[in-house]
């Protein structure tokens, strides 16, 4: 049984306030879908590409804002189109030219970032810019929750159907393409899932922080387990715990909710880096305990 103090600190905010319940529901849905995607981003050595794609959605979201104001569906639809355009264009350039995918993605993301900032500045204020860049998870409404739930469902279903191909593409993409025609389609499906989840996190965490929920739990899970399936489950659990803790910190100490969530995930990453079963301290202790010949 929880004491009255524990109930007031950990349970009451979600029981008594509808905006906290919606924020928690949206955050948990994002953790369930975005964190497994982050695992595959990390295994593919595309962690920084996720950051590039998160900036790539900015011009579409800004265009939706210019046309319809702060409405979730137009902004997310615009962000989805822009993000997919950046991801697909960079993939096409990498396959048709001598340029690597990271370089082409960086070029397109810089163009998108500048265009997005320019579009927001045409009509918006500094408050609008902060909303687009950092999100407002405490302002999620039922419409936004429905969109995030749909993104989570599509992501988990697609990963279930393409699981073996996704794992093979991470381990040895050249081998997959030599024995199967699924290599290129799976790669583009994965890029689409990445963009869709970044768009889902856009309203809650903004374009700058949405990739944090995707990558930090995945990076932390890597220090505890080695199998991809266990890594995905653990990353989702770390993401869910980070979201819950960040929302509680935001509520009790009047902190910005998005940065609080990402900092909680960052704290778990640092602990995992040091004390995880494959972390720095554990590896040093294991090496010290191993007898030398």
């Amino acid at each position: 049984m929880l004491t009255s103090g524990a109930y007031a600190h950990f349970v009451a905010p979600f029981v008594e306030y509808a905006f906290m319940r919606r924020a928690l529901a949206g955050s948990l849905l994002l953790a369930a879908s975005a964190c497994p995607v982050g695992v595959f981003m990390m295994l593919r050595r595309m962690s920084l590409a996720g950051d590039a794609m998160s900036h790539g959605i900015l011009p579409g979201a800004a265009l939706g804002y210019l046309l319809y104001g702060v409405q979730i569906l137009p902004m997310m639809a615009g962000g989805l189109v822009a993000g997919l355009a950046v991801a697909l264009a960079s993939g096409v350039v990498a396959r048709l030219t001598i340029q690597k995918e990271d370089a082409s993605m960086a070029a397109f993301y810089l163009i998108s970032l500048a265009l997005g900032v320019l579009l927001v500045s045409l009509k918006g204020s500094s408050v609008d810019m902060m909303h687009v860049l950092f999100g407002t998870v405490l302002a999620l409404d039922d419409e936004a929750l429905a969109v995030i739930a749909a993104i989570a469902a599509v992501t988990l279903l697609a990963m279930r159907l393409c699981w073996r191909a996704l794992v093979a593409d991470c381990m040895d993409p050249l081998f997959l393409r030599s024995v199967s025609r699924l290599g290129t389609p799976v790669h583009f499906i994965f890029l689409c899932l990445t963009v869709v989840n970044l768009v889902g996190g856009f309203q809650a965490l903004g374009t700058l922080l949405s990739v944090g929920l995707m990558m930090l739990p995945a990076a932390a899970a890597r220090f505890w387990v080695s199998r991809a399936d266990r890594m995905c489950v653990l990353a989702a659990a770390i993401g869910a715990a980070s979201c819950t803790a960040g929302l509680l910190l935001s509520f009790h100490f009047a902190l910005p909710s998005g940065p609080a969530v990402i900092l909680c995930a960052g704290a778990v990453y640092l602990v995992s880096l040091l004390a995880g079963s494959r972390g720095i301290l554990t590896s040093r202790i294991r090496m010290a305990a191993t007898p030398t010949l």
Side-chain angles (χ1 to χ4, degrees):
M1 296 292 292
L2 290 175
T3 64
S4 59
Y7 177 85
H9 283 90
F10 300 111
V11 179
F14 301 115
V15 173
E16 297 177 5
Y17 298 96
F19 73 91
M20 287 291 289
R21 290 196 296 273
R22 286 193 293 268
L24 180 63
S27 299
L28 294 181
L29 287 169
L30 286 172
S33 61
C35 293
V37 173
V39 169
F40 284 99
M41 291 286 288
M42 177 184 61
L43 294 177
R44 288 167 174 264
R45 300 179 181 178
M46 292 177 60
S47 300
L48 291 179
D51 184 57
M53 282 188 279
S54 71
H55 291 77
I57 69 175
L58 183 57
L63 185 60
Y65 165 75
L66 284 177
L67 296 177
Y68 298 97
V70 186
Q71 296 186 30
I72 179 65
L73 286 180
M75 293 179 70
M76 293 185 76
L80 178 61
V81 172
L84 288 175
V86 169
L88 295 178
S90 62
V92 169
V93 169
R95 279 159 176 75
L96 297 181
T97 70
I98 61 172
Q99 194 169 61
K100 299 294 185 180
E101 190 168 21
D102 59 340
S104 60
M105 188 167 291
F108 283 111
Y109 119 73
L110 290 170
I111 296 170
S112 298
L113 178 62
L115 180 60
V117 172
L118 179 64
L119 288 174
V120 174
S121 65
L122 291 177
K123 181 181 177 182
S125 63
S126 59
V127 174
D128 298 320
M129 181 68 73
M130 294 291 287
H131 172 79
V132 171
L133 294 179
F134 298 105
T136 50
V137 67
L138 297 181
L140 290 178
D141 54 18
D142 293 337
E143 188 179 41
L145 281 181
V147 174
I148 293 173
I151 288 173
V154 169
T155 299
L156 294 177
L157 178 61
M159 293 188 71
R160 176 67 181 87
L161 295 175
C162 303
W163 178 262
R164 295 186 65 180
L166 284 170
V167 174
D169 196 37
C170 286
M171 300 302 126
D172 195 342
L174 294 179
F175 173 76
L176 177 62
R177 290 169 190 166
S178 67
V179 300
S180 172
R181 297 180 179 179
L182 294 176
T184 299
V186 164
H187 180 72
F188 282 109
I189 289 172
F190 176 73
L191 289 179
C192 291
L193 291 179
T194 302
V195 172
V196 165
N197 278 273
L198 289 172
V199 171
F202 157 73
Q203 178 68 14
L205 300 171
T207 59
L208 292 185
L209 295 178
S210 58
V211 71
L213 183 60
M214 183 178 287
M215 297 311 309
L216 284 172
R222 178 77 178 206
F223 290 111
W224 296 97
V225 294
S226 57
R227 288 174 55 95
D229 52 353
R230 296 176 183 175
M231 210 178 298
C232 288
V233 173
L234 181 56
I238 292 173
S242 300
C243 290
T244 305
L247 290 174
L248 289 172
L249 287 174
S250 173
F251 179 84
H252 290 299
F253 298 100
L255 300 174
S257 52
V261 167
I262 301 306
L263 285 175
C264 287
V268 176
Y269 170 77
L270 293 176
V271 171
S272 302
L273 171 65
L274 294 175
S277 59
R278 306 171 72 188
I280 295 175
L281 295 180
T282 306
S283 299
R284 292 295 181 88
I285 292 172
R286 190 181 296 117
M287 291 175 59
T290 303
T292 59
L293 297 178

